[in-house]
Amino acid sequence: MYTLPAMWDPQTKVGVSDSYRIAQYLDKTYPDTPNVLFDGIEVYDQVINGAPNVPELRSLLLFLMHCVLPFMNPVSQEGYKRKMEAMFGKKWEDISPTGEAKVEAWKGIKKGFDTLDAFLRENARPSAED
């Protein structure tokens, strides 16, 4: 079964989907209730949706893709493996970097996180340190 975040507000007869849009709707429509979103969430939303563009973080997939398999049924596991093999042009067993390639991939990932940290420190409220 698949689910998606969606709501119907019988008071206003408005339907909204997507978690972030639902939260925005609730905050705007019901200003006298506690806020769902915090001040400055827009910056974090930009990060989640790809701004700034941080290609160095794509290497994270190389290390994390194996972690999702235990949560999939066998048929989904095979489909996921085929998708990753097609994406990287390698056999499943050969996708994760080893040796010097692994060291370099982690350096790139650190650079990507440094880029995100700088973006958040410059733009976020509350600060990225909070």
Side-chain angles (χ1 to χ4, degrees), residues 73-89:
N73 65 45
V75 173
S76 295
Q77 287 179 3
E78 289 307 311
Y80 180 73
K81 286 179 181 181
R82 283 193 305 274
K83 181 179 177 182
M84 293 297 108
E85 288 175 341
M87 180 186 297
F88 291 104

Side-chain angles (χ1 to χ4, degrees), residues 84-105:
M84 293 297 108
E85 288 175 341
M87 180 186 297
F88 291 104
K90 297 179 179 182
K91 288 287 192 191
W92 175 256
E93 300 78 21
D94 300 326
I95 293 173
S96 291
T98 59
E100 188 59 32
K102 182 177 183 178
V103 171
E104 291 303 311

Side-chain angles (χ1 to χ4, degrees), residues 22-91:
I22 291 169
Q24 288 176 311
Y25 169 82
L26 292 171
D27 284 349
K28 180 180 177 186
T29 306
Y30 300 100
D32 297 330
T33 62
N35 283 345
V36 177
L37 300 174
F38 62 87
D39 185 41
I41 188 69
E42 300 83 12
V43 174
Y44 292 91
D45 184 57
Q46 289 174 3
V47 169
I48 291 167
N49 289 303
N53 184 14
V54 186
E56 295 88 356
L57 290 180
R58 292 187 190 125
S59 294
L60 269 175
L61 182 58
L62 297 172
F63 297 101
L64 298 177
M65 65 183 186
H66 292 87
C67 299
V68 301
L69 284 181
F71 301 101
M72 296 179 176
N73 65 45
V75 173
S76 295
Q77 287 179 3
E78 289 307 311
Y80 180 73
K81 286 179 181 181
R82 283 193 305 274
K83 181 179 177 182
M84 293 297 108
E85 288 175 341
M87 180 186 297
F88 291 104
K90 297 179 179 182
K91 288 287 192 191

